[in-house]
Amino acid sequence: MNAITAGLAVVWLALTSLQARGSSDCQPQYDLQVDTRTRTTLTSPLPNAVKMTARLSLKPVEHHEQTGWWALKADELTLRSQGQQAVDTDYEHAFAFRVDGDGQIRQFWFAKGTPETAKDKLQSLAYYFQYRDERATSVQQEQDMLGNYDARYQWRAPTLLLEKDRYQLHASSAGNAFKALEILQSQHAVTPTSCWFSLRQGEEGLQFIGHSEELNFTSRQRYQLTMAEQYSPTALSQMPVKLADWPAVSKPEQILTLEQQRAKLVSWLDTDKLLALDGFSLANELRQLDAALLELPALIAEGQLSDEAMMRLFNALGQVDTDHSQYVLMQFLLNGDSSETQFRALRALANGEQPLGDSAYWAIKSVMDDAALLADDAMRGSFYMTLGIMLAERRGNENSELLHQDLATALQQAEDETNQSNLITALGNSADDRHTAQIKRYRDHASARLQRASARAFGGIASQQAYGQLQAMLATSELRQAPVTRAVIKSLANFELESATLNQVYGFARDAKEDSVRYQAIKTIGQQHAPQMQSQLRELLPQESSRRNFRAIVQALHADN
C-alpha cells in the first residue's frame, strides 16, 4: 500500500480551502474521506480505486513573528484498496503551513527529520484548507502542488462554490512524466465559519497528458471534510506553540523481515516468556511481528503452552487488534481444539476497537452462514453476544456496517427460535438504535424467550425509542411471564426513569408475587437518582419477606449515601 500512496500522492491534490480567521481558541478537527479512482493507458500495477479516511486536527502556531501559521496533523489514517486495508505513516507527521490574507498557502514548514517521501503527501492535506473567502462572483489566479489554475468563485449563502479551470503545470511537474493537465470536472463547496469551515466537499476529474500516449493518466476524486462533533485526543495538542520548539522526527524502528518476525514469534511461544510480561507489554511486542501472526495457529503445538499462558497470549492478540490478529483469533474460534480455546478467542475479539478487517469479516460471515462451524448452542449464543459487543466498539467501519446489515437480514429470515434469540441479542449488544424498530416486532411475540431477548436488547440499545418500547412492555406485564417482566425491569435500570415509570417499578418491588421480580425492581430503583427513591426503598423494608431482597434494599440505601 505504500507504493500505492506514493504513486497517487500527486493526484490527492490541494483542492483549496478557507482563509483562517480563528483565534488561539480555533482548533478544529475534521473527518476526511477521499475516494480516488484512476485509469492509465497502460495496464498499471497500481490499484484503480483507493479510499482514504483520517481525522485532521488544526491549531494556530507561531513562526518568526509571521502571522497565518497553522499546524496540521492527521490521525487514524487508513487506506483501503481491493479489499485490503493499510496505514501510511507518512501522512501522520505533524507539520505547518502559512496562509496569506487571501487564504492562499504560501509556505510550508516541516520538523527536522521529516521523511522526504512524506512531504508531498502532507502538502496535499494542507491544500484542503486553501480558498478565498469570496462573497461575490469572481475569477482568481491560484496555485497548488501541480500548477496554476483559474478559480471561479460564487457565493450562494451559506455556501461558497468553487470551480477550477485551465491548469498550467509547474515546471517540475511538466518536466517529469506529464506535459499538460486538463480539468474534466471541478465542483467544490465550502460552508465557511469564523473558525475555518463546518463542511467542505467536492469532486474533481483530471486528465494528465504524458509525453507519450502510454503515459496518459486519468484521476477522479470525491472528497468530504466534516467538522468533528467531539474532539479526539491528538499529539498535536501537546506540541509547542512555537515551531522552533518542535522536536525532530525520530527515525522509525527497523522493520524485521517476515522470516525474522517468524523466528522471533516462535521464540515467544514459551509459557515462562509469555507470563513474564503483562498483556499490554506483550501486545506491544506482538505488534512488531504483525506479518507473522497469520502463522500463529500452526506454530502452537497442542499442549505446548499452559492455560494461563494461552490466556495471556489471547488477551495480547485482542489488544494488538490488527487485520492479522483479528483473523488469527477467528481461526482459533473456528478451529480451536476445545471450547475453552474458542471462548478465549471470542473474549479477545470483544476487546478491540480498531476497524474490522476484511479477513475477519468473511470469517465471521461464514459462521453466521453455517451454524455447524461452532460446537454447540452455548458457543453459538456466546458468538452472537460477542459479535454485538464488537460492533458497538467498532463503529463507522465499512465491515462493521456490513455486519449490521447481515444481522438484520438474518433476523428477518430466521425461523428457528434459538437463532432468532441470538440475533436479537447481537443487535441489542450493538447499541445501535437503527435496529429498535425490527426488534419491536418480537416485543409481543408468543414466545416468552423472544420477548425476554427483546427486552434485554432494548436495554442494550438504551435510546429514547428503546425506552418507549420497554415502557410499553411494562404496561402489559400482566400478560407476560415473570422472567420477561424481570428482564424489562432490569433493562429499565439503564435509563433515568420518569416519575410515572419509576412508580410502576416501585409497584413491582412492593407487590410482585415472585421474589426474583421484586429483587430486580429493588435493584432498578436503587440505581435511580430520583428524590422519592430513598423513601420508596425504606417503605419496602418492613414488608419484604425475602432475605436476599432485604439485603438488596439495605445495600441500595447505603450506596446512595
Side-chain angles (χ1 to χ4, degrees), residues 329-349:
L329 288 169
M330 282 302 303
Q331 293 310 301
F332 278 116
L333 172 65
L334 295 174
N335 305 311
D337 54 7
S338 67
S339 59
E340 185 62 32
T341 296
Q342 293 179 313
F343 276 118
R344 287 170 181 164
L346 273 174
R347 285 197 297 265
L349 283 166

Side-chain angles (χ1 to χ4, degrees), residues 19-93:
Q19 174 183 357
R21 297 178 179 176
S23 66
S24 59
D25 293 329
C26 176
Q27 299 189 28
Q29 288 187 325
Y30 295 90
D31 291 318
L32 170 67
Q33 293 186 4
V34 184
D35 288 297
T36 303
R37 296 184 177 274
T38 61
R39 181 170 56 85
T40 58
T41 302
L42 294 177
T43 302
S44 172
L46 298 176
N48 61 8
V50 178
K51 181 174 182 179
M52 177 171 70
T53 59
R55 171 64 66 92
L56 303 184
S57 302
L58 279 169
K59 80 170 187 178
V61 289
E62 299 174 4
H63 189 52
H64 296 327
E65 299 182 354
Q66 297 173 330
T67 59
W69 279 99
W70 290 84
L72 174 63
K73 187 178 186 310
D75 293 293
E76 305 170 17
L77 187 143
T78 60
L79 300 167
R80 178 180 290 276
S81 177
Q82 297 179 334
Q84 299 298 313
Q85 182 170 297
V87 174
D88 187 346
T89 57
D90 277 350
Y91 280 102
E92 297 187 347
H93 294 284

Side-chain angles (χ1 to χ4, degrees), residues 402-413:
L402 287 175
L403 283 174
H404 275 287
Q405 298 170 26
D406 293 336
L407 286 168
T409 300
L411 178 57
Q412 186 177 3
Q413 298 173 349

Side-chain angles (χ1 to χ4, degrees), residues 239-255:
M239 300 291 280
V241 173
K242 294 184 178 181
L243 294 178
D245 296 334
W246 279 30
V249 176
S250 57
K251 293 183 179 180
E253 296 182 10
Q254 181 181 3
I255 300 176

Side-chain angles (χ1 to χ4, degrees), residues 210-221:
H211 291 290
S212 62
E213 184 178 352
E214 291 80 8
L215 297 176
N216 288 355
F217 180 88
T218 302
S219 167
R220 294 188 180 276
Q221 182 187 93

Side-chain angles (χ1 to χ4, degrees), residues 177-219:
F178 307 110
K179 63 181 180 181
L181 176 59
E182 294 180 2
I183 299 176
L184 306 176
Q185 178 188 18
S186 179
Q187 296 176 333
H188 310 274
V190 185
T191 305
T193 67
S194 60
C195 178
W196 294 94
F197 51 83
S198 60
L199 175 67
R200 175 170 182 145
Q201 56 189 341
E203 295 184 49
E204 189 143 282
L206 302 175
Q207 174 71 54
F208 293 79
I209 310 301
H211 291 290
S212 62
E213 184 178 352
E214 291 80 8
L215 297 176
N216 288 355
F217 180 88
T218 302
S219 167

